């Protein structure tokens, strides 16, 4: 039914000596022509996945497929993937042109063909006229483009990008986010982008894999992951969250902070202990008598587009609020939120169980619609 | 201000003393008097003498041949060695090899000379050209290793990953990435080996036989016999030659970004 | 490469006829050899100390000059001149009618025997070794972050206190490697002892050379060489060869 995946991991584990595994029994598929982001804190195993795809390291166990061909033991130089490295890894003894031509020369391509391809690749990354520059004469952003050109000139089916924007300043980084996204759409090849920056991931990806401690915590579109985080880690890592312990009384009714609230979640056992997520921007400031929750404002920070308020309820739970309205420090305010703003998370739920549960909502929803 | 002039005086004195002997030699090489005092009149007769002294010229030639050959061979061996050490995965073996290398560099010449004398006698290599060449290679290899290794270590490992990622085989990685990258280090190593070989006295003194001699050994025996201004003439020429070498080395290390230091072997 | 060193150890157990013996080691511990070892150490120590005293201020002042890399190169340049030639030059300078005596006469002191004295030996040795002492100290001083000095002055330290409490400790590694590359070769000098000191000074190196090339007693020569190696290793351990960046 779906298109054949371009990359498939089956129970892949990577382990050095007797250390705990860097990558622990990971399985996933990647489709052709999509922009994937591997997102997680440093040391979570995201770069390991990248290096396994590029062939720079071999898996300890498990199977890696490239278009249904097992590639576990295919060395890096024989794979149809190319990488843009974090430090760009441009060869300092070669100029821009020769850096881009490196892969083609290895393949013993004819000179005029090399020339054509190199110039085209440089045009793609807006570096026409820089052919004879030395690498050390190029700025950070320009080096980045050279690295991209050097990779795409080989016409890989998958382009791997290892935190390529982390060395750039904020403004350039935002600019490059647009450019990379556009480049991916023009080339129509699969991008696998590694980052620890959640905003970058949300802005650019078709699909995000959130990774922690060697396991994929959650896969999904940016919207899905933001709105329906599977657990506390994902909720915390993607955006800011208010996470509070609670109890699922029955379907569509959850209890936390000593009160019961209407919600849209279902499929839990009665009185099951859960964690509840409410995003700071979903909390509305109102008067205490109209609020579903009453809190006392502790600090107020002006963040430009909104105020960030830190407040505490009577049970001592912290509530972060993003609002365009300002409140006085020490003031008692009410917080209002829609039932849809509440997201309930089950403890220790795996991705499959989570997905299955979400599926079931949809079918209920369909029935309701009938 | 006073402090500044004091330090200038100090530095000037140091420089004067450092260069005095060299210019002293050069000055008297033009003395027609034949002694290293009482400058009589300007003359080039010692230079004429020098160029008519075929024995001395052959020795100069020997010295240069030994130096070029030994530094070329030890540059190749040392580069292979450095790449080998750098490539080693095991930290322990690496450290052991590095310490051995360091010991060989710090080892006094007397010990290297004596031990090679013993070895050549046991193996049965006749003392002469080949024994001098072999021992020069032996003490130059560690120097080349120490000059090349830092270059390898400063090379980012992602460069190699990148090359492989772009389709380079291991051989390609070596010839297209590693070797070009460490070329400045290799050149510096070659120059160091060359100067050490040209400069060496002690090791050569031990392993040179009767028939064969290098410049240092020859100057030693000449100096023991007393003053001869032919040596002065020779040293003037050598000094100019050395300056040329240093200028060459300076430009290489300038491309390297810094002056790579010298070891001590005297 | 390590083979020859092992051969030395092996030979140190042989007598002049090639029989296995410990006699060489017994001989080494007789007053004659012990005295020689001691005096060799004493001279090496003197040479190292004088070199350090001259080299540290020089290196310090060099780091304060403009074009310091160029000046450094000029300091190193003489060390690239064949050692024998420099020694030879000193024979002329220190000779009876040489420049040094001419200078003494100008000052009205009169001629002195300079060549073949302890003074000339130490002077020439220091002359030979000084670039190798300056270089690591210079590198250490050069690497020193100048804001440390500013910080120290800011915290109320005087110039001297700053030097003693901040600069010197931070450049101590350079000093150590400098001492290492001077002391070890100074122990084994043998050519200078003959040309400049006129055989008055006998170092461990001279003794090795004497036994190998003159008396042909390789066993005894090897024994002395073994002690030379041992002292070398001890000195390397003392001066810590972990950070040899300054020399390498």
């Amino acid at each position: 039914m779906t298109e054949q995946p371009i990359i498939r991991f089956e129970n892949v584990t990577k382990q050095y000596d007797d250390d705990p595994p860097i990558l622990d029994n990971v399985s996933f598929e990647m489709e052709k022509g999509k922009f994937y982001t591997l997102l997680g804190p440093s040391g979570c195993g995201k770069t390991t996945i990248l290096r396994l795809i590029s062939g720079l390291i071999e898996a300890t166990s498990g199977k890696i497929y490239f278009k249904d061909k097992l590639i576990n033991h295919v060395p890096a130089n024989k794979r149809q993937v190319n990488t843009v490295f974090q430090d760009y890894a441009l060869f300092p003894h070669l100029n821009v042109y020769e850096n881009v031509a490196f892969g083609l020369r290895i393949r013993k391509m004819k000179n005029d063909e090399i020339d054509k391809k190199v110039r085209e690749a440089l045009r793609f990354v807006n570096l026409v006229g820089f052919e004879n520059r030395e690498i050390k004469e190029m700025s950070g952003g320009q080096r980045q483009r050279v690295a991209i050109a050097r990779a795409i000139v080989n016409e890989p089916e998958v382009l791997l990008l290892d935190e390529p924007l982390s060395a750039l300043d904020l403004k350039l980084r935002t600019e490059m986010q647009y450019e990379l996204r556009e480049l991916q759409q023009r080339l129509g090849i699969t991008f696998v982008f590694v980052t620890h920056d959640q905003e970058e991931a949300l802005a650019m990806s078709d699909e995000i894999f959130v990774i922690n401690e060697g396991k994929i915590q959650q896969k999904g579109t940016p919207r899905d992951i933001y709105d329906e985080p599977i657990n506390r880690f994902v909720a915390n890592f993607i955006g800011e969250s208010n996470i509070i312990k609670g109890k699922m009384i029955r379907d569509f009714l959850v209890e936390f902070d000593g009160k019961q609230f209407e919600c849209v979640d279902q499929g839990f056992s009665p009185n099951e202990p859960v964690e509840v997520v409410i995003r700071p921007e979903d909390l509305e400031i109102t008067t205490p008598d109209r609020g579903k929750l009453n809190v006392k404002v502790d600090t107020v920070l002006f963040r430009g587009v909104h105020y960030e308020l830190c407040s505490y309820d009577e049970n001592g739970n912290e509530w972060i609020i993003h609002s365009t309205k300002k409140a006085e420090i020490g003031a008692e305010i009410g917080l209002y939120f829609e039932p849809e703003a509440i997201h309930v998370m089950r403890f220790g739920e795996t991705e499959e169980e989570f997905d299955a549960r979400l599926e079931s909502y949809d079918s209920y929803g369909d029935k309701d619609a009938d | 201000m006073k402090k500044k002039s004091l330090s200038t005086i100090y530095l000037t004195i140091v420089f004067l003393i450092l260069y005095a002997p060299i210019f002293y030699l050069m000055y008297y090489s033009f003395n027609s008097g034949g002694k290293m005092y009482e400058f009589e009149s300007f003359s080039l007769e010692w230079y004429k003498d020098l160029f008519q002294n075929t024995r001395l010229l052959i020795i100069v030639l020997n010295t240069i041949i030994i130096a070029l050959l030994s530094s070329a061979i030890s540059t190749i061996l040392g580069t292979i060695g450095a790449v080998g050490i750098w490539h080693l995965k095991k930290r322990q073996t690496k450290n052991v090899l590095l310490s051995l290398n360091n010991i060989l560099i710090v080892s006094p010449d007397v010990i290297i000379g004596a031990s090679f004398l013993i070895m050549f006698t046991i193996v049965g290599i006749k003392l002469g050209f080949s024994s001098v060449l072999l021992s020069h290679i032996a003490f130059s290899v560690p120097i080349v290793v120490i000059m090349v290794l830092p270059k390898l270590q400063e090379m980012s490992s992602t460069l190699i990953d990148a090359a492989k990622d772009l389709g380079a085989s291991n051989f390609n990685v070596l010839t297209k990435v590693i070797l070009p990258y460490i070329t400045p280090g290799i050149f510096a190593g070659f120059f160091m080996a060359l100067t050490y070989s040209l400069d060496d006295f002690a090791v050569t003194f031990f392993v040179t036989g009767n028939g064969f001699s290098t410049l240092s050994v020859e100057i030693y025996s000449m100096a023991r016999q007393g003053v001869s201004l032919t040596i002065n003439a020779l040293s003037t020429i050598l000094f100019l030659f050395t300056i040329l070498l240093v200028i060459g080395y300076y430009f290489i290390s300038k491309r390297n970004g810094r002056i790579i230091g010298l070891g001590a072997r005297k | 490469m390590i083979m020859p060193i092992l051969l030395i150890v092996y030979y140190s157990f042989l007598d002049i006829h090639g029989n296995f013996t410990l006699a060489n080691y017994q001989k080494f511990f007789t007053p004659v050899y012990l005295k020689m070892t001691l005096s060799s150490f004493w001279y090496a120590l003197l040479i190292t100390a004088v070199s350090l005293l001259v080299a540290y201020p020089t290196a310090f002042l060099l780091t304060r000059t403009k074009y310091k890399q160029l000046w450094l190169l000029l300091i190193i340049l003489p060390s690239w001149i064949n050692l024998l030639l420099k020694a030879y030059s000193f024979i002329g300078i220190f000779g009876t009618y040489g420049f040094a005596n001419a200078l003494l006469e100008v000052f009205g002191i009169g001629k002195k025997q300079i060549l073949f004295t302890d003074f000339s030996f130490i002077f020439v040795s220091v002359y030979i070794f000084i670039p190798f002492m300056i270089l690591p100290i210079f590198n250490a001083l050069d690497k020193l972050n100048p804001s440390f000095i500013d910080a120290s002055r800011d915290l109320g330290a005087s110039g001297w206190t700053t030097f003693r409490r901040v600069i010197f400790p931070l450049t101590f590694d350079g000093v150590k490697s400098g001492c290492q590359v001077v002391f070890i070769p100074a122990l084994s000098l043998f050519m200078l002892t003959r040309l400049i000191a006129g055989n008055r000074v006998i170092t461990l190196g001279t003794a090795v050379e004497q036994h190998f090339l003159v008396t042909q007693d390789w066993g005894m020569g090897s024994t002395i060489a073994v002690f030379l190696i041992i002292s070398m290793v001890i000195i390397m351990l003392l001066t810590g060869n972990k950070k040899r960046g300054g020399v390498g």
Side-chain angles (χ1 to χ4, degrees):
Chain A
M1 187 171 75
T2 47
E3 214 182 327
Q4 154 204 43
I6 193 152
I7 289 168
R8 193 164 91 235
F9 271 44
E10 258 177 34
N11 308 99
V12 173
T13 295
K14 179 68 189 173
Q15 193 166 14
Y16 289 103
D17 302 327
D18 293 329
D19 296 341
I22 296 182
L23 213 57
D24 190 2
N25 198 19
V26 166
S27 304
F28 63 82
E29 288 180 357
M30 283 177 176
E31 286 169 34
K32 197 173 151 59
K34 276 196 176 177
F35 196 121
Y36 289 89
T37 298
L38 308 180
L39 174 67
S42 54
C44 71
K46 54 191 194 298
T47 300
T48 308
I49 294 180
L50 212 64
R51 291 170 72 83
L52 284 167
I53 298 175
S54 67
L56 291 168
I57 52 174
E58 278 194 27
T60 312
S61 66
K63 289 175 179 157
I64 301 172
Y65 293 94
F66 184 81
K67 290 199 202 159
D68 277 346
K69 211 181 94 210
L70 189 68
I71 55 162
N72 276 41
H73 301 296
V74 177
N77 51 357
K78 299 269 188 317
R79 292 192 189 188
Q80 282 171 321
V81 294
N82 286 111
T83 309
V84 176
F85 290 86
Q86 184 169 12
D87 59 359
Y88 314 142
L90 298 171
F91 304 118
H93 58 284
L94 302 176
N95 63 17
V96 171
Y97 184 95
E98 285 303 321
N99 259 287
V100 178
F102 188 90
L104 305 177
R105 291 214 192 280
I106 295 279
R107 280 194 264 152
K108 303 233 154 52
M109 203 174 267
K110 281 203 200 94
N111 266 336
D112 48 342
E113 208 168 338
I114 291 179
D115 195 62
K116 212 180 97 201
K117 280 182 189 280
V118 170
R119 288 187 194 281
E120 194 186 305
L122 286 174
R123 196 165 47 240
F124 236 83
V125 295
N126 293 325
L127 279 182
V128 176
F130 289 85
E131 288 84 355
N132 296 318
R133 294 277 186 102
E134 292 298 320
I135 296 304
K136 58 173 181 287
E137 296 167 352
M138 307 287 276
S139 72
Q142 289 170 332
R143 286 179 198 199
Q144 162 90 73
R145 290 159 200 259
V146 178
I148 293 170
R150 186 178 69 175
I152 62 172
V153 78
N154 302 292
E155 293 164 7
E157 299 199 46
V158 177
L159 186 69
L160 309 173
L161 302 107
D162 188 2
E163 308 214 19
L165 306 183
S166 60
L168 304 179
D169 62 50
L170 183 68
K171 196 152 176 270
L172 201 55
R173 198 155 69 213
T174 326
E175 230 174 86
M176 284 307 290
Q177 286 174 10
Y178 281 108
E179 279 191 37
L180 276 179
R181 179 69 189 162
E182 201 193 284
L183 186 72
Q184 188 265 334
Q185 278 159 357
R186 271 196 290 163
L187 290 170
I189 60 172
T190 311
F191 272 35
V192 182
F193 183 90
V194 160
T195 183
H196 59 261
D197 183 334
Q198 44 108 358
E199 277 179 46
E200 220 163 82
L202 291 173
M204 296 166 75
S205 327
D206 289 319
E207 218 159 312
I208 298 177
F209 294 7
V210 184
I211 302 164
N212 190 33
E213 291 174 348
K215 283 184 193 294
I216 295 182
Q217 304 287 327
Q218 191 172 9
K219 299 190 279 269
T221 64
R223 194 77 242 175
D224 284 349
I225 289 190
Y226 189 83
D227 289 344
E228 314 278 349
I230 183 172
N231 57 27
R232 179 179 267 267
F233 173 80
V234 177
N236 250 331
F237 201 75
I238 312 275
E240 276 183 272
S241 304
N242 294 299
I243 303 174
I244 184 168
K245 285 200 164 52
K247 197 163 74 179
M248 201 69 190
I249 305 295
R250 55 178 159 80
D251 283 355
F252 311 118
L253 192 66
V254 63
E255 180 189 291
F256 59 86
D257 209 15
K259 299 189 187 76
Q260 296 191 347
F261 299 94
E262 193 191 330
C263 69
V264 295
D265 296 270
Q266 52 176 306
F268 295 83
S269 359
N271 295 324
E272 182 181 334
V274 292
E275 282 183 305
V276 174
V277 179
I278 303 178
R279 295 287 184 187
E281 65 271 21
D282 290 338
L283 293 169
E284 241 175 85
I285 297 177
T286 175
T287 50
D289 54 310
R290 281 204 263 166
K292 288 190 177 179
L293 272 174
N294 288 339
V295 294
K296 193 173 166 193
V297 178
D298 191 48
T299 57
V300 179
L301 283 179
F302 179 59
R303 289 281 194 189
V305 282
H306 59 73
Y307 288 96
E308 179 172 297
L309 286 77
C310 178
S311 60
Y312 291 93
D313 63 28
E314 53 204 357
N315 297 321
N317 297 311
E318 188 191 47
W319 294 92
I320 305 282
I321 307 146
H322 289 173
S323 169
T324 47
K325 283 186 227 160
K326 198 178 168 200
E328 294 303 315
I329 292 174
E332 295 273 348
I333 54 170
L335 295 179
Y336 177 79
F337 45 86
E338 300 290 336
E340 289 79 17
I342 298 175
H343 170 65
V344 181
M345 300 186 300
R346 194 174 222 166
F347 280 102
E349 194 171 34
T350 66
E351 230 201 321
E352 290 79 43
E353 291 162 349
F354 177 76
D355 287 341
R357 186 158 60 82
L358 288 195
E359 276 303 298
S360 67
Y361 292 10
D362 294 344
S363 50
Y364 279 117
D366 291 346
K367 262 183 214 153
D368 289 349
D370 285 342
Chain B
M1 273 299 104
K2 202 182 144 216
K3 234 178 169 176
K4 189 146 193 195
S5 63
L6 245 160
S7 66
T8 315
I9 291 170
Y10 184 83
L11 279 183
T12 316
I13 291 176
V14 170
F15 272 99
L16 274 182
I17 293 179
L18 272 175
Y19 281 91
I22 296 159
F23 288 110
Y24 194 80
L25 273 183
M26 290 169 77
Y27 178 67
Y28 280 103
S29 72
F30 300 107
N31 183 11
S32 65
K35 300 192 193 84
M36 267 214 270
Y37 53 89
E38 288 166 8
F39 194 90
E40 286 175 11
S41 64
F42 180 83
S43 126
L44 287 174
E45 66 176 293
W46 304 111
Y47 289 87
K48 221 173 93 193
D49 248 28
L50 175 68
F51 286 108
Q52 279 164 359
N53 189 340
T54 29
R55 190 184 125 74
L56 200 58
L57 287 181
I58 287 175
I59 289 172
V60 171
L61 204 65
N62 277 341
T63 312
I64 293 173
I65 289 173
I66 289 271
L68 284 175
L69 260 182
S70 70
S71 40
I73 296 172
S74 51
T75 301
I76 296 167
L77 292 178
T79 306
I80 295 171
V83 173
I85 290 177
W86 169 77
H87 202 71
L88 276 175
K89 290 260 150 48
K90 271 213 166 145
R91 234 197 150 67
Q92 246 176 333
T93 359
K94 209 175 199 166
N95 283 341
V96 168
L97 281 174
L98 273 178
S99 319
L100 274 182
N101 196 58
N102 273 347
I103 286 177
L104 285 173
I105 286 183
V106 184
S107 286
D109 290 1
V110 176
I111 295 196
I112 295 179
S115 52
F116 271 95
L117 177 61
I118 294 178
M119 195 178 76
F120 289 140
T121 318
I122 288 180
V123 179
I125 293 173
K126 218 177 127 251
L127 295 186
F129 178 82
S130 46
S131 66
V132 173
L133 181 66
L134 279 174
S135 53
H136 278 217
I137 292 171
F139 71 65
S140 299
V141 168
I143 298 164
V144 176
V145 170
I146 217 77
M147 301 298 268
V148 173
L149 210 53
K151 270 300 214 189
L152 282 165
Q153 279 161 344
E154 78 171 43
M155 184 171 65
S156 157
S157 67
T158 53
L159 278 188
I160 289 157
D161 288 349
K164 283 190 182 163
D165 185 79
L166 294 167
S169 63
N170 283 335
F171 181 73
N172 280 336
V173 170
L174 184 70
T175 55
K176 297 211 160 154
V177 179
I178 298 178
L179 285 182
Y181 192 92
I182 62 173
T183 304
I186 296 176
F187 268 107
F190 176 78
F191 265 88
M192 286 306 280
L194 198 66
T195 40
Y196 271 114
S197 171
L198 285 174
D199 212 28
D200 177 70
F201 164 71
V203 175
T204 317
F205 191 63
F206 270 86
V207 296
T208 189
N210 281 328
F212 189 80
S213 181
T214 66
L215 206 50
S216 303
V217 177
E218 185 64 18
I219 296 170
Y220 178 70
S221 50
M222 282 166 88
R224 290 194 83 182
Q225 288 157 17
V227 166
S228 153
L229 291 194
T230 319
I231 302 181
N232 293 48
L234 182 62
S235 52
T236 307
I237 291 171
L238 280 181
F239 180 68
L240 295 177
F241 181 69
T242 310
I243 286 187
L244 278 181
L245 265 187
V246 169
I247 290 172
Y249 177 74
Y250 181 71
F251 278 108
I252 286 171
S253 49
K254 218 176 168 183
R255 261 178 46 197
N256 241 332
R258 74 203 141 102
I259 293 180
I260 299 174
L262 313 163
R265 167 186 296 283
K266 284 291 129 65
Chain C
M1 290 258 257
I2 222 62
M3 256 279 288
I5 309 269
L6 293 178
L7 277 177
I8 282 210
V9 178
Y10 170 70
Y11 260 75
S12 68
F13 291 107
L14 299 181
D15 68 12
I16 204 159
H17 305 292
N19 301 318
F20 189 82
T21 173
L22 281 174
N24 292 326
Y25 284 88
Q26 270 167 11
K27 217 157 120 200
F28 187 83
F29 286 103
T30 56
V32 184
Y33 283 100
L34 283 180
K35 232 178 108 189
M36 182 204 73
T37 312
L38 226 62
S39 91
S40 182
F41 264 89
W42 171 241
Y43 280 114
L45 205 68
L46 268 180
I47 292 166
T48 312
V50 176
S51 304
L52 180 60
L53 278 180
V54 181
Y56 204 100
T58 310
F60 186 77
L61 294 176
L62 275 181
T63 53
R64 254 113 243 265
T65 55
K66 262 190 201 173
Y67 312 115
K68 52 188 172 185
Q69 292 291 345
L70 185 72
W71 288 114
L72 182 68
L73 192 78
L74 285 176
I75 288 267
I76 296 168
L77 188 66
S79 72
W80 291 52
I81 309 289
N82 197 306
L83 170 66
L84 268 297
L85 292 177
K86 287 178 287 188
Y88 171 74
S89 173
F90 275 108
I91 297 178
I93 293 176
F94 285 152
T96 324
Y97 304 103
F99 177 72
N101 267 326
L103 212 65
L104 285 181
E105 247 168 32
V106 171
F107 288 113
I109 300 170
K111 281 196 171 48
K112 283 252 160 67
Q113 173 67 27
I114 305 178
L115 202 60
F116 308 139
T117 60
D118 283 1
F119 168 78
S120 63
F121 174 64
I122 289 173
F123 187 93
V124 177
S125 306
V126 169
Y127 172 86
I128 301 277
F129 288 130
I130 200 105
F132 303 115
M133 184 65 101
I134 292 177
L135 196 66
I137 297 176
F138 175 89
N139 283 341
L141 281 167
D142 202 33
K143 259 191 289 183
L144 190 74
N145 186 342
S147 58
F148 287 152
I149 297 164
D150 293 345
S152 166
R153 298 305 290 256
D154 181 71
L155 295 169
S158 67
W160 170 243
T161 317
T162 302
F163 176 78
R164 202 167 48 90
R165 305 282 294 268
V166 181
I167 302 177
F168 190 74
L170 283 174
T171 53
F172 194 58
D173 273 337
V175 172
K176 279 201 299 195
S177 51
C179 289
Q180 182 185 331
V181 295
V182 170
F183 193 86
I184 295 172
L187 264 185
S188 55
L189 277 171
F190 75 91
M191 182 270 307
L192 284 183
T193 57
R194 293 205 191 286
L195 289 181
I196 303 292
N199 287 340
R200 284 190 71 258
V201 179
I202 295 180
T203 62
L204 289 174
T206 322
V208 174
E209 186 250 3
Q210 184 86 16
H211 282 101
F212 267 91
L213 298 178
V214 184
T215 62
Q216 300 281 329
D217 182 357
W218 288 12
M220 193 60 218
S222 299
T223 309
I224 301 168
V226 167
F227 278 96
L228 197 49
I229 294 171
I230 292 171
S231 5
M232 179 186 93
V233 171
I234 291 172
I235 290 155
M236 277 178 77
L237 288 178
L238 279 181
T239 51
N241 65 335
K242 271 174 249 148
K243 264 198 185 170
R244 282 183 44 87
V247 201

